[in-house]
Amino acid sequence: MAKIKVMDEILANKIAAGEVVEKTMNVVKELVENSIDAGADKVTVEIKNGGISFIRVTDNGCGIQREDVPKCILRHATSKIKTAEDLSGIATLGFRGEALAAISSVSRMEIISRHREETAGTRLTSDENGEVMVDTGCPEGTTVIVKDLFYNTPARQKFLKR
């Protein structure tokens, strides 16, 4: 009987998330870098319980267009690379398209964003039940809320320093 099994996508994503998000400060770093890349000149970071139960990063950057909001939590989804040649000219902090996907796979996450060219904002919630996207009122820019970090990966949560 074969011993090697191919993991399902959900399990593989949780394991891969551990390479990007080892601790709460990685989440804050990734989200703040996204804010800077979006042209924000004001970024607010709020945390509770050392970031384990709650992290909120709000910026006044360009925002995410409605059609792109659900794509931003997919692995390897990025606005910065279209061809292999683009790799040599990267001038931003984040480009791999891993951060939001990794964070969403190990937390309950909410993204609220309004692109500067749109009149209404978009709210996307992502958790163990899937994703839900609705229109919402909000200022230009993006807010990402991360709750219950590593709630679904108890081994990773156990090794977090308090």
Side-chain angles (χ1 to χ4, degrees):
M1 174 127 190
K3 291 185 179 187
I4 297 177
K5 308 268 190 267
V6 177
M7 290 183 268
D8 68 58
E9 186 176 350
I10 293 170
L11 179 58
N13 285 346
K14 288 179 186 179
I15 292 170
E19 297 172 14
V20 177
V21 181
E22 294 177 338
K23 46 193 164 196
T24 57
M25 71 179 240
N26 297 124
V27 173
V28 173
K29 172 193 166 292
E30 295 287 355
L31 296 178
V32 169
E33 286 179 351
N34 284 351
S35 295
I36 293 167
D37 283 348
D41 62 7
K42 182 178 178 187
V43 179
T44 304
V45 177
E46 303 166 73
I47 63 171
K48 294 179 184 173
N49 191 24
I52 295 167
S53 59
F54 183 86
I55 299 169
R56 177 172 33 215
V57 176
T58 302
D59 69 51
N60 66 344
C62 65
I64 305 167
Q65 291 180 320
R66 177 177 173 68
E67 67 188 77
D68 287 336
V69 172
K71 295 178 200 170
C72 72
I73 63 170
L74 300 175
R75 289 187 72 198
H76 308 298
T78 180
S79 62
K80 299 169 182 127
I81 299 172
K82 292 181 179 71
T83 67
E85 290 77 33
D86 293 341
L87 291 171
S88 62
I90 293 171
T92 60
L93 298 170
F95 65 90
R96 296 168 301 147
E98 285 291 303
L100 292 177
I103 295 165
S104 72
S105 71
V106 293
S107 70
R108 294 179 173 101
M109 189 168 80
E110 185 173 351
I111 299 171
I112 304 160
S113 189
R114 182 170 68 84
H115 189 268
R116 63 175 50 131
E117 297 173 357
E118 296 175 332
T119 57
T122 303
R123 177 186 307 260
L124 175 79
T125 55
S126 174
D127 59 24
E128 67 275 13
N129 298 314
E131 292 87 36
V132 176
M133 191 169 85
V134 297
D135 290 337
T136 191
C138 64
E140 182 180 306
T142 302
T143 296
V144 178
I145 301 168
V146 177
K147 296 179 184 174
D148 304 323
L149 189 61
F150 300 122
Y151 78 98
N152 57 357
T153 53
R156 175 72 59 187
Q157 191 175 50
K158 183 173 114 176
F159 291 102
L160 284 176
K161 292 182 180 176
R162 300 283 174 176

